């Protein structure tokens, strides 16, 4: 079977912490999760064809990324890759989700102009078809080996990037702790080494980092059960008391009810405000001061580790690098 668009990608379910070594005893891979747009890339079956770029929802958007189309000559025919679209802001010197959104909405001349200012990169994390032969039934470990061989054999360079992967739980824990300080990296993906690629199925686990801080809630708008805005003050060692007002997404909206462990934030009380990096520091949840961040592992990882399959692709044209 030859894969063609529209194609439904495999999905991930959200989790709040890294599973323990016992849960992952059968073997796993951890990949860095970038804050971009999911995309499926199709190269032509033969000469004269063109590269196609499909979104998660099935829309074709290759006309909005002419820089990727121009670089398609590096890729062999009959190839299908699953990955993440990201954009590098040359002025800011970092990945930019806002610039990616602008590029995704651009057409014609605007798309070409934006490509020069904010170049796009395709971070590949799965190989679904090679030489016209689909690989969905192959285990993840085999598909990953073929993907790494594709990059080395064809000496692929920017804008094609190999997603960093490790089978070392300690390394995955380190990524979640430190790499998420980098703009554009929001967490990790956990994938069983033996898993097949199942379109539409949530067989992977995604873990996003969320930072917490002590805050004093002074007032809210909306109701206590469904607050809309928090007026809060946070005390820091260097800046003293910092005041802010930010939209608040109630736990009831995410889970259908307020968990008993997360009481409503009454005005004038202390608690922890959890801010998502992708939302630019916007408060998205609140927990009492006795709680610890839900996403953080409860203990250091234990057990044997295996050598990580590492990749270091440097984007010479933009100065960005992932290791």
């Amino acid at each position: 079977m030859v894969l063609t668009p529209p194609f439904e990608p495999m999905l991930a379910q959200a989790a709040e912490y890294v599973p323990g070594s016992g849960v992952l005893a059968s073997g796993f891979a951890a990949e860095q999760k970038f804050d971009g747009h999911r995309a499926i890339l199709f190269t032509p079956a033969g000469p004269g064809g063109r590269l196609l770029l499909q979104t998660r929802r099935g829309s074709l958007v290759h006309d909005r990324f002419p820089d990727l189309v121009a670089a398609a000559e590096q890729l062999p025919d009959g190839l299908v890759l699953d990955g993440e679209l990201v954009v590098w802001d040359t002025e800011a010197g970092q990945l930019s989700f806002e610039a990616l959104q602008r590029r995704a909405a651009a057409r014609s001349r605007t798309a070409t102009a934006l490509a020069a200012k904010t170049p796009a990169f395709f971070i590949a994390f799965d190989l679904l078809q090679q030489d016209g032969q689909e690989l969905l039934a192959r285990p993840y470990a085999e598909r990953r080996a073929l993907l790494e061989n594709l990059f080395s054999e064809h000496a692929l360079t920017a804008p094609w990037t190999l997603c960093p992967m490790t089978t070392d739980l300690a390394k995955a824990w380190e990524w979640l702790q430190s790499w998420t300080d980098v703009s554009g990296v929001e967490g990790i993906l956990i994938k069983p080494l033996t898993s097949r690629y199942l379109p539409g199925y949530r067989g992977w686990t995604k873990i996003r980092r969320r930072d917490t801080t002590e805050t004093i809630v002074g007032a809210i708008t909306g109701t206590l059960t469904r607050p809309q805005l928090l007026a809060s003050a946070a005390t820091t060692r260097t800046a003293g008391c910092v005041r802010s007002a930010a939209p608040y997404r109630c736990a009831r909206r995410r889970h259908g009810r307020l968990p008993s462990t997360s009481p409503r934030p009454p005005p004038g009380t202390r608690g922890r405000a959890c801010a998502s990096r992708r939302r630019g520091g916007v408060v998205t949840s609140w927990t009492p001061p006795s709680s610890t961040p839900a996403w953080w592992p409860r203990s250091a990882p234990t057990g044997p580790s295996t050598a990580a399959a590492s990749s270091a692709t440097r984007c010479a044209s933009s100065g960005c690098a992932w290791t």
Side-chain angles (χ1 to χ4, degrees):
M1 178 181 70
V2 176
L3 303 180
T4 57
F7 176 81
E8 188 176 11
M10 190 169 177
L11 305 174
Q13 58 183 346
E16 295 297 320
Y17 58 91
V18 177
S21 56
V23 177
L24 303 172
S26 59
F28 76 99
E31 299 173 349
Q32 291 181 6
K33 186 182 187 306
F34 292 85
D35 191 11
H37 285 180
R38 183 77 174 274
I40 307 293
L41 182 146
F42 302 81
T43 62
R50 61 173 181 170
L51 177 140
L52 300 178
L53 197 61
Q54 177 206 299
T55 67
R56 173 184 165 182
R57 304 291 183 183
S59 301
L60 294 177
V61 293
H62 46 273
D63 60 323
R64 302 167 200 185
F65 296 91
D67 43 345
L68 295 184
V69 174
E73 61 184 18
Q74 293 188 43
L75 303 175
D77 294 336
L79 187 72
V80 178
L81 295 175
D82 191 357
E84 196 86 3
L85 273 176
V86 298
V87 162
W88 183 261
D89 189 328
T90 54
E91 294 183 358
Q94 63 183 21
L95 295 175
S96 172
F97 186 76
E98 292 74 16
L100 173 60
Q101 289 179 306
R102 289 194 295 271
R103 290 212 52 186
R107 303 291 181 89
S108 190
R109 294 181 180 178
T110 304
T112 303
L114 287 177
K117 184 178 180 181
T118 53
F121 297 87
F122 185 89
I123 303 176
F125 52 69
D126 216 325
L127 178 58
L128 310 184
Q129 180 175 290
Q130 189 173 34
D131 298 326
Q133 180 181 3
E134 62 93 359
L135 308 172
L136 305 185
R138 306 276 187 96
Y140 169 86
E142 185 175 340
R143 300 196 312 273
R144 175 70 192 197
L146 290 172
L147 178 62
E148 292 177 359
N149 184 66
L150 171 73
F151 269 79
S152 60
E153 189 175 280
H154 292 271
L156 297 182
T157 58
W160 315 116
T161 305
L162 181 62
C163 183
M165 183 275 287
T166 182
T167 55
D168 184 348
L169 185 56
K171 175 62 71 173
W173 193 30
E174 177 189 338
W175 282 354
L176 189 59
Q177 179 183 11
S178 59
W179 271 85
T180 45
D181 288 331
V182 179
S183 176
V185 184
E186 61 177 8
I188 59 174
L189 276 170
I190 303 293
K191 302 179 178 180
L193 290 176
T194 57
S195 65
R196 296 180 299 160
Y197 192 98
L198 303 173
Y201 177 67
R202 294 188 180 276
W204 302 332
T205 302
K206 59 183 176 182
I207 305 167
R208 289 190 177 97
R209 171 175 168 176
R210 295 184 183 276
D211 294 331
T212 63
T213 185
E214 283 284 326
T215 183
I216 301 173
V217 179
I220 66 169
T221 62
T223 65
L224 287 176
T225 55
R226 297 182 71 86
Q228 301 297 322
L229 188 73
L230 289 182
S232 61
T235 302
T236 65
R237 294 181 179 179
T238 57
C241 187
V242 179
R243 293 173 295 175
S244 66
Y248 174 84
R249 187 175 63 181
C250 181
R252 182 186 298 274
R253 298 180 190 174
R254 299 198 305 272
H255 306 293
R257 62 182 178 84
L258 275 171
S260 58
T261 56
S262 298
R264 295 170 299 207
T269 60
R270 288 181 176 269
R272 284 189 178 270
C274 179
S276 167
R277 292 179 175 272
R278 179 165 174 172
R279 294 174 177 269
V282 171
V283 176
T284 57
S285 67
W286 184 92
T287 56
S290 59
S291 301
T292 54
W295 61 268
W296 195 250
R298 295 299 186 268
S299 60
T302 57
S305 302
T306 56
S310 62
S311 67
T313 302
R314 186 169 298 276
C315 310
S317 62
S318 63
C320 66
W322 297 285
T323 303

